[in-house]
Structures are given as C-alpha cells and as structure tokens.
Amino acid sequence: MKAWGAAAVERHEIEVFLALAEELHFRRTSERLGLAQGRVSQTIKKLERRIGVPLFERTSRHVALTAVGRQLREDLLPAQEQLLRAVDRAMAMGRGMTGLLRVGYSSPMVAEILLKAADTFRGRHPDCEVEIREVQLYDPFGPIRSGQVDVQVTELPVDEPDLTVGPLVLSQPRALMVPAGHPFARRASVSLEDLAEATLITVAGEAVPQHWLDHHYPRRTPGGAAITHGPAPTYWTEVLNLVGLGRGVSPACVEAEHYYARPDVAWVPFDDAPPVEYGFLWPTTGECARVRAFVDAFRERVRGVSAGS
C-alpha cells in the first residue's frame, strides 16, 4: 500500500497504528491484534522512521498521540472505513446478500410480522432491499412461479413439486365464522361434526390446489357426515360478506377477527379442529442466502411476538 510521497507503508503498519491510536496502550493493542507486544512496538518504530517524526509520546505510564499522530489518525480513519465497507460489500455480493428481495403474504396477521422482519433484515444487510406484497388465495402460487415474489409465507399444506416448503413459522387456532343470528353464534365453541348442520362457504380459483381446498374446506366430517358446500367466491373478503348475509359459515384463523371483525359475523372457536399453520415457500431452484437470512429474521420476530415484545 503506497502513501505519502515515496514512502511505502504496509497495510499491517496502518492497522497497528490505528489500533494503538485507539487503545493508547501497548499491551491492550497486542491482545486486540493477536501480536506480541514487542512486535507492536517494532511496527510503530518502523512506521515513525518511514514518516520521519514521532507519532506517539511514550512514558512508563502514558501513551499519547503527537500532533502528527492525531492528524494521521484523522486522515486514515475515513480511508479505513471505506476499505472495510468495500470488503463487506464484496463479501455480501459473494453470499448473495445484495439486491431486492420480494416477499409475498396472504394474511394480514403475517404481513404485520413481515414488516418487522424486514426492518431486522435491512439492519443486518444494508445492501438488500425488501419489497412486500399481498398474494391472493385464488392464485396462491402464481406470483412465486412467475418471479413476482422470491419467497412467501402461506397457509399450509403445500405439496407442489417445483416449490420448497420451509419451516413452520406460525400456528393459530381455528374458528368458524357464522352469521350473527345463527344458533352457533350463541355457543362457546363448535366441533367439526357441527359442519354437517351448516352450509360451508369456500373459495374458488382454478389455481387453488385441490389438496389445499380439501384440508381447509372438507366435504365430510371426521365421523363421515356430508358437509354441504355453498357459494365459492374468488376473494376471501367476499366470504365475509356472504357469511354476514346468512348464506353459510366458513372457517378462518382466530386471529383474523382482529382485522375483519364486523357486527354481522360472529367468530366461534373450534374445540377439535387442527390449527391454521403458516410456512415459508420458495421455488426449489431459488433458495439463496437472502431467503435463508430473511426466514431467520421472521422467526426471530415471531419469537419476540410470542414473548410479548
């Protein structure tokens, strides 16, 4: 590394100088750099000979920068910081930790955690940007297959050969949305067998997998009784409207009531239904360091929410 006219200054000399300029103590500097204390002293003396003036005032009890040493430190620090940023950026690019990460979601409860996870992710990886967008239930995998999103949090189960299901990140109790005047609305809970006594409103969409529909909108109760299926709108908000109008009942996550509560719909918890589970999903060929890092940030946020933070 060349600097100051014809003087050839080695990088390790600059590192030792800046460390000693901060510590102002030879032993602490040697421990910090993992060098022998004599090596630190020799390096500083060599640098001072190159420059031609003392950089430190030394006594048996005191180490201080000279005026030249203070000026050198002020001149070198910005260059060192720029160098470190350049190295960090190169390492980030090598790990795939740069660029735009597009994240999809289908639940407002998940969206809230995603926004917090994005803040955590950006703080750790400033060369990455995060874009969050909603994915509609009628086409749950279209955006991720077309490249509009790189990763998404979605309701399970998912069984698609070209998509990888990541870790389960959230699990919420299931409730039944019923018209406010329905007999079920006066009950403390309902069971899956009760679905045989009502009309089930589902969702429609050519891209919605049958295995997903069968899991969330079964056609028979666990005891074998038939469940009548009624209207099947495209958008989930239309399901709410139909329930409110008395056209049937529909299952949902208990937590969704906080976002969709309305006076004409009652939310009655199930006492025997499996929870609504959410997991990460990405193209099998598209897993990368950015995706893994974002999943980690999301899971940390979920743990924070569970702990009440």
Side-chain angles (χ1 to χ4, degrees):
M1 177 175 191
K2 298 263 187 185
W4 310 292
V9 179
E10 301 294 335
R11 177 177 174 180
H12 79 277
E13 293 175 337
I14 293 176
E15 292 173 346
V16 171
F17 167 76
L18 288 174
L20 182 58
E22 182 178 344
E23 298 290 347
L24 296 177
H25 195 285
F26 278 88
R27 179 179 56 79
R28 288 198 298 267
T29 300
S30 67
E31 292 174 350
R32 170 175 166 178
L33 297 177
L35 299 174
Q37 189 168 324
R39 176 73 181 279
V40 172
S41 179
Q42 292 170 7
T43 301
I44 294 299
K45 289 179 181 178
K46 182 178 179 181
L47 180 60
E48 289 176 326
R49 286 197 300 271
R50 289 181 188 278
I51 295 175
V53 295
L55 300 174
F56 295 91
E57 297 174 354
R58 308 168 180 81
T59 69
S60 59
R61 299 182 178 180
H62 179 73
V63 177
L65 284 163
T66 64
V68 174
R70 286 193 298 272
Q71 185 62 55
L72 180 60
R73 180 178 182 273
E74 291 177 7
D75 290 340
L76 283 177
L77 279 177
Q80 184 195 44
E81 292 171 357
Q82 183 178 4
L83 176 63
L84 292 175
R85 284 196 300 270
V87 172
D88 288 343
R89 187 171 294 111
M91 293 175 66
M93 292 179 67
R95 297 192 305 266
M97 297 306 299
T98 60
L100 176 65
L101 182 68
R102 296 160 297 185
V103 185
Y105 72 93
S106 56
S107 162
M109 177 184 61
V110 169
E112 188 172 326
I113 303 175
L114 278 177
L115 290 172
K116 295 177 180 178
D119 289 339
T120 299
F121 180 81
R122 292 188 192 101
R124 294 174 179 171
H125 309 289
D127 290 323
C128 287
E129 186 52 61
V130 181
E131 179 182 282
I132 297 175
R133 57 166 292 176
E134 184 176 5
V135 176
Q136 298 295 335
L137 285 178
Y138 67 81
D139 188 17
F141 309 133
I144 202 164
R145 283 175 169 149
S146 64
Q148 297 176 56
V149 299
D150 304 302
V151 61
Q152 72 183 61
V153 184
T154 193
E155 293 86 353
L156 302 177
V158 173
D159 184 15
E160 302 292 317
D162 59 329
L163 302 175
T164 294
V165 179
L168 173 69
V169 293
L170 205 58
S171 179
Q172 290 290 326
R174 198 180 298 258
L176 188 65
M177 298 185 297
V178 304
H182 195 281
F184 289 171
R186 298 189 293 271
R187 294 168 54 171
S189 64
V190 293
S191 73
L192 291 171
E193 293 299 328
D194 291 326
L195 294 178
E197 303 175 18
T199 298
L200 193 64
I201 298 173
T202 68
V203 295
E206 293 182 2
V208 183
Q210 190 60 48
H211 72 269
W212 190 93
L213 289 171
D214 292 341
H215 179 82
H216 292 281
Y217 303 103
R219 292 191 173 274
R220 291 193 174 275
T221 69
I227 300 173
T228 301
H229 281 210
T234 300
Y235 295 95
W236 195 81
T237 51
E238 295 174 337
V239 174
L240 277 169
N241 292 334
L242 290 169
V243 172
L245 290 170
R247 300 285 299 278
V249 303
S250 193
C253 169
V254 165
E255 193 72 16
E257 183 179 5
H258 295 301
Y259 302 91
Y260 297 108
R262 44 192 287 174
D264 56 352
V265 176
W267 299 68
V268 187
F270 278 99
D271 56 24
D272 61 350
V276 181
E277 296 180 328
Y278 298 85
F280 270 97
L281 184 73
W282 57 80
T284 299
T285 58
E287 182 176 1
C288 62
R290 287 181 302 166
V291 168
R292 293 191 295 271
F294 190 86
V295 171
D296 289 341
F298 184 92
R299 296 176 76 179
E300 288 179 24
R301 281 296 186 172
V302 170
R303 287 194 293 269
V305 169
S306 300
S309 62

